[in-house]
């Protein structure tokens, strides 16, 4: 089945350009668009797309508030949100990762990166664009270092689970983790599931945020 996508951006040219690019892919179907966050929330409830490409800054309702509403609706299967921004560092995007957005993408990213991003986010496999995402989180957490404190829940993890969490925060997929640790991919999935349960995490994006905020992974 094709991956269904909703594009939310206040610029018509962005919606049309991204829409044409994604619609040209054999495994992706653009089912709708929205000029602001309010419409994005309504259309997400109506269309239940696999992925919403969500601009951060929009009129009436910004992308962060729209993402919070969509992610908090409890859709089954889940609607995943990929934030779009023109800024390398944006506190709104960082906060979006904390509420469960699957990642973010710079609007000037290459076309192939956008297509890959949609596929990765739809699969729920790994955080998008790990190199850029790590830079975002590293810089923002550096600015917030004075408020950072170890998460008590980390003490509940086994040494292997802490290792898995650290590799997730480095942007590695399950397959890459399995290769790095010389274990089966199914074993990695089991560890990841246990980590999410113990730390009450929704997805990999929240795992990355927690790992940096707690100091398990440090910038650089």
């Amino acid at each position: 089945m094709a991956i269904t996508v909703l594009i939310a951006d206040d610029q018509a040219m962005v919606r049309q350009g991204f829409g044409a690019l994604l619609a040209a892919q054999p495994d992706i179907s653009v089912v709708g668009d929205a000029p602001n966050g309010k419409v994005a929330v309504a259309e997400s409830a109506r269309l239940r797309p696999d992925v919403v490409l969500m601009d951060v800054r929009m009129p009436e309702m910004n992308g962060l508030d729209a993402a919070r509403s969509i992610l908090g609706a409890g859709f089954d299967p889940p609607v995943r949100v990929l934030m779009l921004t023109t800024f390398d560092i944006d506190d709104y995007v960082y906060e979006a990762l904390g509420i469960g957005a699957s990642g973010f993408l710079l609007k000037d990213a290459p076309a192939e990166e956008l297509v890959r991003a949609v596929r990765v986010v739809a699969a729920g496999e790994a955080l998008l664009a790990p190199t850029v995402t790590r830079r975002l989180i590293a810089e923002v957490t550096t600015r917030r270092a004075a408020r950072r404190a170890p998460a008590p829940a980390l003490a509940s993890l086994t040494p292997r689970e802490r290792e898995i969490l650290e590799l997730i925060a480095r942007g590695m997929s399950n397959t890459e983790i399995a290769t790095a640790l010389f274990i089966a991919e199914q074993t990695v999935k089991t560890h990841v599931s246990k980590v999410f349960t113990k730390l009450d995490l929704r997805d990999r994006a929240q795992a990355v945020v927690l790992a940096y905020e707690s100091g398990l992974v440090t910038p650089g």
Side-chain angles (χ1 to χ4, degrees), residues 16 28 72 88 108 162 169 179-180 182 217 219-220:
Q16 294 168 5
I28 297 176
D88 284 332
D108 60 358
R162 288 174 68 93
T179 299
F182 302 100
V217 176

Side-chain angles (χ1 to χ4, degrees), residues 40 98 100 109 137 181:
I137 295 175
L181 299 181

Side-chain angles (χ1 to χ4, degrees), residues 10-81:
D10 61 338
Q11 298 182 41
M13 290 183 64
V14 172
R15 297 197 305 273
Q16 294 168 5
F18 283 5
L21 174 64
L22 294 173
Q25 308 304 312
D27 59 336
I28 297 176
S29 174
V30 178
V31 295
D33 61 30
N36 59 60
K38 185 176 181 180
V39 174
V41 171
E43 288 294 87
S44 294
R46 182 177 73 88
L47 299 170
R48 302 292 180 87
D50 297 313
V51 178
V52 177
L53 292 181
M54 183 76 73
D55 187 21
V56 174
R57 303 175 187 275
M58 291 186 291
E60 294 195 42
M61 177 185 284
N62 65 43
L64 179 60
D65 289 338
R68 182 180 290 107
S69 179
I70 293 169
L71 294 167
F75 294 133
D76 184 22
V79 174
R80 303 184 186 279
V81 176

Side-chain angles (χ1 to χ4, degrees), residues 9-11 14 18 54-58 83-90 92-93 104-109 132 135-136:
D9 195 291
D10 61 338
Q11 298 182 41
V14 172
F18 283 5
M54 183 76 73
D55 187 21
V56 174
R57 303 175 187 275
M58 291 186 291
M83 306 301 296
L84 297 170
T85 179
T86 56
F87 304 96
D88 284 332
I89 300 301
D90 192 318
Y92 287 114
V93 179
F104 78 99
L105 184 70
L106 299 178
K107 285 186 177 180
D108 60 358
V132 181
R135 187 174 76 244
L136 167 82

Side-chain angles (χ1 to χ4, degrees), residues 44-201:
S44 294
R46 182 177 73 88
L47 299 170
R48 302 292 180 87
D50 297 313
V51 178
V52 177
L53 292 181
M54 183 76 73
D55 187 21
V56 174
R57 303 175 187 275
M58 291 186 291
E60 294 195 42
M61 177 185 284
N62 65 43
L64 179 60
D65 289 338
R68 182 180 290 107
S69 179
I70 293 169
L71 294 167
F75 294 133
D76 184 22
V79 174
R80 303 184 186 279
V81 176
L82 173 59
M83 306 301 296
L84 297 170
T85 179
T86 56
F87 304 96
D88 284 332
I89 300 301
D90 192 318
D91 285 346
Y92 287 114
V93 179
Y94 177 82
E95 186 174 347
L97 293 175
I99 63 174
S102 294
F104 78 99
L105 184 70
L106 299 178
K107 285 186 177 180
D108 60 358
E112 60 271 17
E113 188 171 330
L114 170 64
V115 174
R116 175 183 175 275
V118 169
R119 290 170 178 154
V120 168
V121 168
E125 165 60 19
L127 187 65
L128 169 67
T131 301
V132 181
T133 300
R134 284 200 303 272
R135 187 174 76 244
L136 167 82
I137 295 175
E139 293 194 26
V140 175
T141 52
T142 296
R143 296 203 299 266
R144 299 179 179 183
R147 301 202 301 268
R148 189 172 65 198
L154 289 181
S156 67
L157 301 181
T158 66
R160 176 62 91 184
E161 288 166 353
R162 288 174 68 93
E163 187 176 24
I164 294 289
L165 176 57
E166 180 177 348
L167 294 178
I168 289 174
R170 299 294 183 191
M172 296 177 68
S173 67
N174 287 347
T175 301
E176 291 169 335
I177 293 173
T179 299
L181 299 181
F182 302 100
I183 58 178
E185 185 172 349
Q186 185 57 50
T187 301
V188 174
K189 291 180 180 179
T190 298
H191 284 309
V192 170
S193 178
K194 289 181 179 179
V195 169
F196 285 8
T197 298
K198 288 182 177 182
L199 301 182
D200 192 26
L201 300 172

